[in-house]
Amino acid sequence: MSDPLERVTNLLALLLETCVPLTITQISDRLAGHYPAKDAARRQTFERDKSLLRSEGVPIEQTVLGGDQAGQTGYWIDRDRYELGELGLEDDERAALQLAVATVQLGTEWGAQALWKLGGSGLSTRRELEASLPSLPVLPELAAALGERRVVRFGYRGSDRTLEPYSLLARHGWWYLIGLDRDRDELRTYRVDRMDGWVETTDDTFERPSDFDPREFLPADAKRQGEGEEYALVRVAAERCAHVESDLGAAAIVERDPDGSTVFRVPCTNPLSFRHWLIELLEHAEVIGPEPVRLDFVRWLEALV
Amino acid sequence: MASTRRGPTPAHERLRRLLVMLPWIMERQEVPVAEIAERFGISEQSVLADLERASMCGLPPFGPEDLIDLFVDDGVVYAGLPRIFTRPLRLSAPEGFALLTTGRAALQLPGADPDGALARALDKLAVKLGDVGVEIDLQRPATVDEIAEAVAGGHRLRIEYWSGRRDASTSREIDPLVVFVDRGFWYTLADDHLSGEERVFRIDRIERVERTGARFEGRDVVPPTETGWFAGDDLPRVALRLDPAQRWIVERYPADSVDTDESGAMLVTMPVTSEAWLARLLLRAGPTARVVAPAEFQTLASRTAARVLDVYRTD
C-alpha cells in the first residue's frame, strides 16, 4: 500500500494514457503494490479513489466488457472530456469572474475553486455590494442534467418523480426546478429544498420546447401563479399607498380618493399568496370586491377570532 | 488556493493543486519555486513536497523515462519532457455551476453592464459548459440603484422608512455603508442618525429617498447573515404548534427547535423580532396554528384578526 496521493495520481495517469478500458484487476496489476491484494479491500480502495477523482471533476468512463473479460467493468478516461480546453478568457473577463465570485456568496468553495483552475485567485477589496444565494448539494447535478437534456428522477415529499428538466430558477431565496413531469404529462414546478435529497440522472434525453420561458411560466409575482387571471379591488389607506404603488406599479391604480386612500387592482390568481400579501397591510387595506374574494378573507379572519 | 488551516492537507486538495500546477509548470518549462508558491498561495515547502511526490508518479513500469519529468535546482523548477498532466483539468460540475450562477447573479446587481466583460465571460463559459437553463432572478427594487450610488460616493441620505414593528413610517438620515441581497430580500447596512447605531434596513420598506447634500467616509462592514441578526439571543421566543400545511414557516424563518410527531404536526420554538411580526405570521398561518407559550402571545392572533375585521364591519 502506498501514499494515497501517489496512488491516485498514478491511477489517473494510467486511465488517461490507456488505449483500452482496464479492469480493477488489470489496474492493480499494473500499479503493483499500490492496491491491496485481497479482493474486497482492493475494490473498496479503488472505489474510494474513483470517487475522489470524480468529485474533482475527472470524468471516468466505464463499460461492461465482452469477450474473455465478459461481465467485468472496464475503466478509462476520454482525454477530450478531461481537458479544460481553451476558454479564451481575456484578462478583463477573468477579473470580472473573480469579482462576481467574491461578491456573490453561495456558501461553498466551488466558485473559488473554479477561478483557481482558470488562473485567477481570490480578491480582497472593500465590497459595496454583496449577494447571497442558497446552495443545495443536488443543484450541480440538476444543472448538469439540464445542460445535457437528460431526464432526471428524484424524491419529492416521499414519492418518486420523473422529470424532463427545462429550467432551474433562483428567486426570493429559493431554487425552483421547472420541467415536464412525465408521469403526470404536465409542466410542474418543484422547490429544490423540498426534494428528498437524492437525484438520479438517467440516459433518457429530451427536447426542450424552444418557446419555453421560465419567467413566464412561473411569474415573479406569487399572486399571479396558477391557471387563469384573477384580480381583486383593494382600498389601501393613505399611509401605505406609496409602498403598494411601488410594489404593484402605478398601472394598478384604479382611483385615488380625496381622503388619501387609493383603490388598487391586485392579482389574486393564487388565493394563498393574495391572502399573505393582504395580511401584510393589516387594517390599512380592505378588499372591496369581487364579493367571493372579500367574503373568503372575512371568513378567514372570523375563524381566527 | 490559500490554505489557512493547520495540519496535513487532504489528498483531494493536494491532487487538485497538482493537476493545476503541473500543466502550468510544463507550459512555462522553468519557474522559480517562489513564484509557484505565490501563484498557488502555499509555502515553498509545500510546493517542494508536492513536486517531489509528483516526480515519483507516472506510468508503469515506473522506469526513469516513465515518470513525470521535473527537477528542482537552486530554487527553480525545470520541466523536462511533458508526458502526462500536460493539459489542465476541466471544471467539475459544481465548479461550473457555481461560476455560472454567481456570474449571472452578479449581472443583476446595480451597476452591472449587460454587455461588459462579465457577460462576455459567461457566454464563453456557457458554450464550454453546455449550459442553458439556470436563471437567477434577484427582483431588485428601483431604489437599490440610488442607494448603491450613495454607498459608492459616500452621500448621506434622508429616507422615509416603514417600521414593521411600529407599523408606521419615520423620517431619518442614514449613511449607507453596504447594499446586500440575502435570500431574495435587499438590505442596506447603514449608520442610522435617528438611533445613533448601525442598523439594517429593508430596501423595499424605504418609501422615499433623497440626498441631504452631506458626505461621509465609508468603511468596511461585513453584511450580517440572516440567521445572525434575525435570531439574536436577546430576542423573545415563542413556542408554536403547527400543522404540516404551515411547514413554510420553518422553511422561511430560523427556529431554535422543530419537533415533528407521527402525524406531521410540529412543535416549534422560534425567535420573535416583534409582536407585529408574530401577529402577521399567525394570521397567515391560520386557525390551526396554536401559540403554546408564552401566555402574552396566546390572544395575539385573535386580537389582530378582530382589529382587521373592524374595517370590514364599518360599511
Short mmCIF file of all heavy atoms in Angstrom, two decimals, chain A residues 5 39 60 67 73 90-91 98 105 118 120 142 155 163-164 176 178 186 200 205 209 237 259 264 288 292 302-303:
data_model
loop_
_atom_site.label_atom_id
_atom_site.label_comp_id
_atom_site.label_asym_id
_atom_site.label_seq_id
_atom_site.Cartn_x
_atom_site.Cartn_y
_atom_site.Cartn_z
N LEU A 5 -1.94 9.95 -2.18
CA LEU A 5 -1.80 10.93 -3.25
C LEU A 5 -1.06 10.32 -4.44
O LEU A 5 -1.46 10.49 -5.59
CB LEU A 5 -1.06 12.18 -2.75
CG LEU A 5 -0.83 13.25 -3.82
CD1 LEU A 5 -2.15 13.77 -4.37
CD2 LEU A 5 -0.02 14.41 -3.27
N ASP A 39 -9.28 -9.16 -2.52
CA ASP A 39 -10.27 -8.66 -3.47
C ASP A 39 -11.17 -7.54 -2.91
O ASP A 39 -11.35 -6.50 -3.53
CB ASP A 39 -11.13 -9.83 -3.96
CG ASP A 39 -11.75 -9.53 -5.30
OD1 ASP A 39 -11.03 -8.96 -6.16
OD2 ASP A 39 -12.95 -9.80 -5.49
N ILE A 60 -14.48 9.76 -15.42
CA ILE A 60 -14.02 8.38 -15.61
C ILE A 60 -15.12 7.60 -16.31
O ILE A 60 -16.24 7.50 -15.82
CB ILE A 60 -13.68 7.71 -14.26
CG1 ILE A 60 -12.57 8.50 -13.57
CG2 ILE A 60 -13.27 6.25 -14.46
CD1 ILE A 60 -12.15 7.94 -12.22
N GLY A 67 -16.18 -10.56 -24.58
CA GLY A 67 -15.06 -11.45 -24.92
C GLY A 67 -14.59 -12.22 -23.71
O GLY A 67 -15.40 -12.66 -22.88
N THR A 73 -16.18 -4.89 -15.49
CA THR A 73 -16.27 -3.46 -15.82
C THR A 73 -14.88 -2.95 -16.18
O THR A 73 -13.91 -3.24 -15.47
CB THR A 73 -16.80 -2.65 -14.63
OG1 THR A 73 -18.03 -3.25 -14.21
CG2 THR A 73 -17.07 -1.20 -15.03
N GLU A 90 -10.22 36.67 -21.77
CA GLU A 90 -9.35 37.84 -21.71
C GLU A 90 -9.12 38.19 -20.24
O GLU A 90 -9.89 37.77 -19.38
CB GLU A 90 -10.02 39.04 -22.40
CG GLU A 90 -10.44 38.78 -23.83
CD GLU A 90 -9.26 38.77 -24.78
OE1 GLU A 90 -8.16 39.16 -24.36
OE2 GLU A 90 -9.44 38.35 -25.94
N ASP A 91 -8.11 39.00 -19.98
CA ASP A 91 -7.80 39.38 -18.60
C ASP A 91 -8.98 40.07 -17.91
O ASP A 91 -9.28 39.79 -16.75
CB ASP A 91 -6.59 40.32 -18.56
CG ASP A 91 -5.30 39.55 -18.80
OD1 ASP A 91 -5.33 38.30 -18.66
OD2 ASP A 91 -4.28 40.17 -19.11
N GLN A 98 -13.76 36.92 -11.23
CA GLN A 98 -13.24 36.96 -9.86
C GLN A 98 -14.10 37.84 -8.98
O GLN A 98 -14.42 37.50 -7.85
CB GLN A 98 -11.83 37.58 -9.86
CG GLN A 98 -10.73 36.61 -10.04
CD GLN A 98 -9.40 37.34 -10.18
OE1 GLN A 98 -8.93 37.60 -11.27
NE2 GLN A 98 -8.81 37.68 -9.06
N GLN A 105 -22.19 35.20 -2.66
CA GLN A 105 -21.86 34.07 -1.79
C GLN A 105 -22.81 32.91 -2.03
O GLN A 105 -24.01 33.07 -1.93
CB GLN A 105 -22.00 34.50 -0.31
CG GLN A 105 -21.23 35.73 0.06
CD GLN A 105 -19.75 35.56 -0.16
OE1 GLN A 105 -19.20 34.53 0.19
NE2 GLN A 105 -19.11 36.55 -0.74
N LEU A 118 -9.00 28.37 -13.52
CA LEU A 118 -8.95 29.26 -14.68
C LEU A 118 -7.77 30.23 -14.61
O LEU A 118 -7.56 31.02 -15.52
CB LEU A 118 -10.24 30.07 -14.79
CG LEU A 118 -11.51 29.26 -15.03
CD1 LEU A 118 -12.72 30.19 -15.06
CD2 LEU A 118 -11.41 28.53 -16.35
N GLY A 120 -7.24 32.44 -11.96
CA GLY A 120 -7.44 33.61 -11.11
C GLY A 120 -7.17 33.26 -9.67
O GLY A 120 -6.85 32.13 -9.35
N LEU A 142 -28.42 18.62 -11.01
CA LEU A 142 -29.61 19.05 -11.75
C LEU A 142 -29.19 19.96 -12.91
O LEU A 142 -29.70 19.83 -14.02
CB LEU A 142 -30.58 19.80 -10.83
CG LEU A 142 -31.34 18.95 -9.83
CD1 LEU A 142 -32.15 19.83 -8.88
CD2 LEU A 142 -32.26 17.96 -10.53
N GLY A 155 -36.79 12.19 -5.48
CA GLY A 155 -37.84 12.00 -4.49
C GLY A 155 -38.37 13.36 -4.08
O GLY A 155 -37.59 14.30 -3.91
N LEU A 163 -38.78 13.63 -14.42
CA LEU A 163 -38.96 14.96 -14.99
C LEU A 163 -38.00 15.25 -16.14
O LEU A 163 -36.84 14.87 -16.08
CB LEU A 163 -38.71 16.00 -13.88
CG LEU A 163 -39.10 17.44 -14.18
CD1 LEU A 163 -40.58 17.63 -13.93
CD2 LEU A 163 -38.32 18.40 -13.30
N GLU A 164 -38.52 15.91 -17.18
CA GLU A 164 -37.65 16.49 -18.20
C GLU A 164 -37.32 17.89 -17.68
O GLU A 164 -38.19 18.76 -17.70
CB GLU A 164 -38.40 16.61 -19.54
CG GLU A 164 -38.71 15.28 -20.19
CD GLU A 164 -39.46 15.45 -21.52
OE1 GLU A 164 -39.59 16.60 -22.00
OE2 GLU A 164 -39.91 14.42 -22.06
N TYR A 176 -36.01 26.85 -7.82
CA TYR A 176 -37.14 26.14 -8.40
C TYR A 176 -36.67 25.32 -9.59
O TYR A 176 -35.90 25.82 -10.41
CB TYR A 176 -38.20 27.12 -8.89
CG TYR A 176 -38.81 27.98 -7.80
CD1 TYR A 176 -38.26 29.22 -7.47
CD2 TYR A 176 -39.93 27.54 -7.10
CE1 TYR A 176 -38.81 30.00 -6.47
CE2 TYR A 176 -40.48 28.31 -6.09
CZ TYR A 176 -39.92 29.54 -5.78
OH TYR A 176 -40.45 30.31 -4.79
N ILE A 178 -38.13 23.58 -12.88
CA ILE A 178 -39.34 23.57 -13.71
C ILE A 178 -39.12 22.60 -14.85
O ILE A 178 -38.05 22.60 -15.47
CB ILE A 178 -39.62 24.97 -14.30
CG1 ILE A 178 -39.63 26.02 -13.18
CG2 ILE A 178 -40.96 24.98 -15.03
CD1 ILE A 178 -39.67 27.44 -13.68
N GLU A 186 -47.54 16.93 -17.52
CA GLU A 186 -47.79 18.37 -17.50
C GLU A 186 -46.58 19.09 -16.90
O GLU A 186 -45.76 18.50 -16.20
CB GLU A 186 -49.05 18.71 -16.71
CG GLU A 186 -49.12 18.14 -15.34
CD GLU A 186 -50.42 18.49 -14.63
OE1 GLU A 186 -51.45 18.67 -15.32
OE2 GLU A 186 -50.40 18.60 -13.40
N GLU A 200 -31.31 11.30 -9.55
CA GLU A 200 -30.69 10.32 -10.43
C GLU A 200 -30.81 10.83 -11.85
O GLU A 200 -31.90 11.17 -12.31
CB GLU A 200 -31.48 9.02 -10.29
CG GLU A 200 -30.81 7.80 -10.88
CD GLU A 200 -31.81 6.65 -10.95
OE1 GLU A 200 -32.16 6.14 -9.87
OE2 GLU A 200 -32.26 6.34 -12.06
N THR A 205 -32.99 11.09 -23.03
CA THR A 205 -32.86 12.53 -23.35
C THR A 205 -34.19 13.09 -23.86
O THR A 205 -35.12 12.35 -24.14
CB THR A 205 -31.77 12.77 -24.41
OG1 THR A 205 -32.12 12.00 -25.58
CG2 THR A 205 -30.41 12.36 -23.91
N PRO A 209 -38.96 22.57 -25.47
CA PRO A 209 -39.67 23.45 -26.41
C PRO A 209 -38.95 24.80 -26.52
O PRO A 209 -38.59 25.39 -25.49
CB PRO A 209 -41.06 23.64 -25.81
CG PRO A 209 -41.15 22.72 -24.66
CD PRO A 209 -39.82 22.15 -24.36
N ALA A 237 -55.19 52.38 2.72
CA ALA A 237 -55.17 53.64 3.45
C ALA A 237 -53.97 54.49 3.06
O ALA A 237 -52.94 53.95 2.63
CB ALA A 237 -55.15 53.35 4.95
N ASP A 259 -59.75 61.36 0.51
CA ASP A 259 -59.25 61.16 1.88
C ASP A 259 -57.81 60.63 1.90
O ASP A 259 -57.24 60.39 2.96
CB ASP A 259 -60.18 60.20 2.65
CG ASP A 259 -60.18 58.79 2.07
OD1 ASP A 259 -59.54 58.58 1.00
OD2 ASP A 259 -60.78 57.89 2.67
N PHE A 264 -56.63 49.88 -5.57
CA PHE A 264 -55.71 49.17 -6.47
C PHE A 264 -56.37 47.93 -7.04
O PHE A 264 -57.21 47.29 -6.39
CB PHE A 264 -54.45 48.72 -5.73
CG PHE A 264 -53.53 49.83 -5.33
CD1 PHE A 264 -53.68 50.47 -4.09
CD2 PHE A 264 -52.49 50.22 -6.16
CE1 PHE A 264 -52.82 51.49 -3.72
CE2 PHE A 264 -51.62 51.24 -5.79
CZ PHE A 264 -51.79 51.87 -4.57
N ILE A 288 -62.48 45.27 -1.57
CA ILE A 288 -63.79 45.81 -1.92
C ILE A 288 -64.57 44.79 -2.75
O ILE A 288 -65.76 44.61 -2.60
CB ILE A 288 -63.63 47.12 -2.72
CG1 ILE A 288 -62.81 48.14 -1.94
CG2 ILE A 288 -64.99 47.71 -3.05
CD1 ILE A 288 -62.53 49.39 -2.73
N PRO A 292 -66.96 37.26 -3.67
CA PRO A 292 -66.43 36.00 -3.13
C PRO A 292 -65.05 36.14 -2.50
O PRO A 292 -64.74 35.51 -1.49
CB PRO A 292 -66.35 35.07 -4.36
CG PRO A 292 -67.26 35.66 -5.37
CD PRO A 292 -67.29 37.14 -5.10
N GLU A 302 -62.56 35.64 10.65
CA GLU A 302 -63.53 35.24 11.68
C GLU A 302 -63.11 33.94 12.36
O GLU A 302 -63.31 33.77 13.56
CB GLU A 302 -64.93 35.11 11.06
CG GLU A 302 -65.56 36.47 10.80
CD GLU A 302 -66.88 36.40 10.02
OE1 GLU A 302 -67.19 35.32 9.43
OE2 GLU A 302 -67.59 37.42 10.01
N ALA A 303 -62.49 33.03 11.59
CA ALA A 303 -62.05 31.76 12.17
C ALA A 303 -60.93 31.95 13.18
O ALA A 303 -60.66 31.09 14.02
CB ALA A 303 -61.60 30.82 11.06
#
